[in-house]
Amino acid sequence: DKGGHKHFMAKEIFEQPVVLADCLSHYTDAGGVTLPQPLDFTQTDRVILVACGTAYYACAIAKYWFEQFAGIPCDVDIASEFRYREPPVSPKATALFVSQSGETADTLAALRYVTEKVDRVVSVVNVPSSSIARESDVALPILAGVEVGVASTKAFMNQLGVLANLAIMAARQRGRIDAVREAELLEILHGMPGLINQALALEDKIAKRTARLAEAKSVLFLGRGAMFPLAMEGALKLKEISYIHAEGYASGELKHGPIALIDKTVPVIVFAPRDALFDKTISNMQEVMARDGKVWLITDAEGAAQAGDGTWATLVMPTVDPALAPMLYAVAAQLIAYHTALHKGTDVDQPRNLAKSVTVE
Ligand code: F6R
């Protein structure tokens, strides 16, 4: 049942405010963050995050949270690299495996590789009965409900929801933040479903611009800080369902190579809420515009005012705390990919060559 939508992917994108709110309600009580099973980060010397694909990008975003909020050194790895590289791991590490299906072969193998080596194996999964959940010490459900669309949307959102809770909890346990700051961060997190609703209301504005995107041979996504992994996720979504070549780059890397690609045929989508590094992002954008690149700036009202004219398009998102902004901007990334695919007429829910669950390596 597509719930009145044309595709499961659209249904799942529009479900996000509800499934995220439900997930968050399971992870918070009057005392702050609460987990289905206790988890203590006080003795942890490192967080190791391992996953594939979209789940990997959720981990790459969470790295910023574990480092910024909790001050814990954090490694992020692609499961297929981690398992064969045989990295040395600290026995005091907490290893975290993120998987929607809980059956991804490489992620499961990476989990088995660390099982005897680290203090604790934690998984963040959508399927609580899955192999990855069963083989971890602590399995945290993301409670997104069944995800049918091959391109992951609501599972990504809820992975971020659970990982944000974990980082906030770790920060509190390690004395990096007090109860007041914890409550503040949780308030921002719990405000997210409402902001996501507002972002979903921008669908028509987004759809209007994607006709042009559908003509592109190649699209670049840029972001700084936690928006960098979101840029990679935006590129992955677009290539998966519209078959347009796309790359996500850290804004600061532009002049180290990818700027050579820029001409008037290459749209550049910039995820940039008005934050401490916004000026730097603007100057990256200007470098693109000076080479006739078509910039689609995704920002907030303050960012749009500061950026001024000259972009090909500017989408004004609701204002959100920069720390958690990737959750909100993910909605823009999803809708851009979805509407571009509609213009191309591709099979959105069942893109060619892809499977929902990758149980072979
Ligand atoms: C992309 C996508 C894939 C999965 C990846 C991991 O939209 O869905 O990249 O994220 O195959 O799958 P899980 O999360 O089931 O381990």
Side-chain angles (χ1 to χ4, degrees):
D1 176 21
K2 294 177 192 148
H5 292 275
K6 242 173 120 174
H7 297 97
F8 283 107
M9 184 182 179
K11 170 178 175 257
E12 289 159 3
I13 290 172
F14 278 83
E15 257 171 18
Q16 291 177 113
V18 172
V19 294
L20 176 63
D22 178 55
C23 169
L24 295 178
S25 74
H26 281 82
Y27 282 86
T28 318
D29 65 14
V33 177
T34 174
L35 302 187
Q37 282 167 273
L39 197 52
D40 184 353
F41 280 94
T42 49
Q43 303 305 314
T44 296
D45 66 357
R46 218 168 181 88
V47 170
I48 303 169
L49 293 158
V50 183
C52 301
T54 286
Y56 167 76
Y57 294 130
C59 292
I61 290 170
K63 173 184 169 78
Y64 288 81
W65 296 337
F66 278 106
E67 292 182 353
Q68 281 169 10
F69 298 164
I72 311 179
C74 185
D75 300 321
V76 197
D77 248 298
I78 292 167
S80 57
E81 286 301 314
F82 184 84
R83 62 179 288 199
Y84 292 116
R85 199 172 71 240
E86 304 195 355
V89 286
S90 159
K92 285 166 76 182
T94 297
L96 255 155
F97 298 86
V98 180
S99 175
Q100 187 282 128
S101 63
E103 301 296 347
T104 300
D106 281 320
T107 310
L108 182 58
L111 181 154
R112 288 177 179 157
Y113 169 75
V114 298
T115 296
E116 299 298 318
K117 298 184 180 66
V118 298
D119 189 32
R120 228 168 14 192
V121 174
V122 182
S123 61
V124 174
V125 291
N126 201 27
V127 183
S129 57
S130 61
S131 309
I132 289 174
R134 279 186 279 114
E135 295 193 28
S136 38
D137 301 315
V138 176
L140 302 172
I142 62 167
L143 305 157
V146 176
E147 189 179 62
V148 178
V150 164
S152 184
T153 52
K154 64 175 181 172
F156 176 70
M157 185 62 75
N158 279 21
Q159 285 161 355
L160 291 176
V162 170
L163 291 166
N165 268 297
L166 282 183
I168 293 168
M169 187 190 77
R172 180 87 170 93
Q173 288 172 344
R174 294 165 76 90
R176 291 271 301 199
I177 58 170
D178 60 14
V180 176
R181 180 65 185 148
E182 180 183 10
E184 256 172 38
L185 286 169
L186 287 175
E187 207 181 300
I188 299 168
L189 195 53
H190 286 256
M192 206 55 78
L195 294 177
I196 291 171
N197 258 320
Q198 292 176 34
L200 290 170
L202 300 171
E203 182 180 26
D204 288 348
K205 286 201 170 101
I206 293 172
K208 226 175 71 194
R209 290 286 171 188
T210 50
R212 181 67 189 274
L213 224 52
E215 292 163 10
K217 290 259 175 308
S218 186
V219 178
L220 286 185
F221 288 77
L222 300 180
R224 257 178 206 277
M227 284 299 177
F228 160 43
L230 184 71
M232 293 192 282
E233 166 62 6
L236 177 65
K237 281 292 87 94
L238 187 69
K239 61 187 126 179
E240 273 185 299
I241 62 167
S242 76
Y243 314 149
I244 295 172
H245 172 254
E247 299 273 354
Y249 265 100
S251 305
E253 274 290 291
L254 190 66
K255 58 167 74 68
H256 299 286
I259 198 161
L261 294 170
I262 304 293
D263 65 20
K264 62 180 186 317
T265 69
V266 180
V268 180
I269 298 176
V270 184
F271 294 124
R274 171 84 182 79
D275 60 12
L277 297 172
F278 189 71
D279 292 350
K280 298 192 187 296
T281 302
I282 293 291
S283 73
N284 299 137
M285 242 173 60
Q286 283 161 348
E287 287 157 11
V288 171
M289 287 169 349
R291 287 156 185 86
D292 280 340
K294 299 265 164 300
V295 171
W296 188 358
L297 174 64
I298 319 284
T299 185
D300 47 32
E302 258 189 69
Q306 193 178 327
D309 301 331
T311 61
W312 166 59
T314 300
L315 180 72
V316 180
M317 297 285 285
T319 299
V320 61
D321 189 287
L324 296 176
M327 297 179 75
L328 182 64
Y329 283 57
V331 175
Q334 295 161 354
L335 288 174
I336 287 170
Y338 178 66
H339 282 280
T340 306
L342 286 188
H343 284 293
K344 299 219 59 163
T346 50
D347 186 347
V348 170
D349 284 334
Q350 285 288 337
R352 66 187 183 197
N353 310 340
L354 295 177
K356 183 67 188 160
S357 183
V358 185
T359 54
V360 291
E361 61 170 298

